[in-house]
Amino acid sequence: MFKKKLIHFSCKKIWNGIFLTNNALLQVNKIIKKYSTINGIRLILKKTGCFGFKYKIEPIKKPFKDDLIFQNNNIYIYIKKVDIIFIDGTKIDFIQKNFKEYFKYYNSKIIKSCGCGESFNIKN
């Protein structure tokens, strides 16, 4: 069970939303502040790896026409409509361990992950 306090990013549509820990929110803020021309991040489900998919976060200047917008205060997370059925409800944490920093995703729709944890398979 996930025990950290979560910050809810909601959408005006029927979706459950995206949930960030405080560490993840602080890191997203750092990404946004690093670039003066962006207003949010895009959470992407990318086809790759030995199990099929991996998450990717990138800063964006403006949303695509088919993006859903998830918001908490003045922070925006954009997700493509085609990806939302696989991403909806995902919990995101930011881990700092030794010399390694990374976003960690918790998604109940993931059915298998590869040995290194980089890619995964999703039930649809």
Side-chain angles (χ1 to χ4, degrees):
M1 176 174 243
F2 201 85
K3 295 190 185 241
K4 293 185 179 182
K5 183 180 177 200
L6 297 169
I7 299 141
H8 184 224
F9 281 72
S10 59
C11 179
K12 293 181 182 173
K13 307 286 182 193
I14 60 168
W15 305 105
N16 293 320
I18 304 299
F19 301 87
L20 275 66
T21 64
N22 192 55
N23 285 346
L25 181 62
L26 290 171
Q27 188 62 25
V28 167
N29 269 327
K30 282 183 188 176
I31 293 168
I32 291 170
K33 288 179 181 177
K34 185 176 178 180
Y35 304 94
S36 62
T37 59
I38 71 165
N39 71 342
I41 60 162
R42 177 170 288 113
L43 180 57
I44 299 168
L45 193 59
K46 185 177 178 184
K47 284 190 173 192
T48 188
C50 50
F51 271 79
F53 295 99
K54 78 179 226 173
Y55 290 106
K56 183 177 179 188
I57 289 180
E58 61 184 29
I60 65 163
K61 293 180 183 177
K62 61 181 183 176
F64 293 138
K65 201 167 45 168
D66 66 340
D67 278 344
L68 293 170
I69 302 168
F70 292 81
Q71 178 181 359
N72 185 296
N73 294 320
N74 290 327
I75 300 172
Y76 300 92
I77 299 175
Y78 301 95
I79 300 173
K80 290 181 183 179
K81 284 182 186 176
V82 296
D83 290 343
I84 191 61
I85 60 170
F86 304 110
I87 296 176
D88 189 37
T90 296
K91 297 170 183 79
I92 304 171
D93 195 7
F94 185 73
I95 308 295
Q96 295 172 299
K97 196 178 204 179
N98 298 327
F99 296 106
K100 197 171 183 183
E101 295 181 331
Y102 56 94
F103 285 100
K104 174 90 173 149
Y105 304 90
Y106 301 88
N107 182 341
S108 62
K109 297 173 186 89
I110 294 176
I111 53 175
K112 278 187 180 177
S113 295
C114 67
C116 68
E118 284 293 315
S119 66
F120 51 86
N121 204 337
I122 298 178
K123 63 181 171 185
N124 49 358

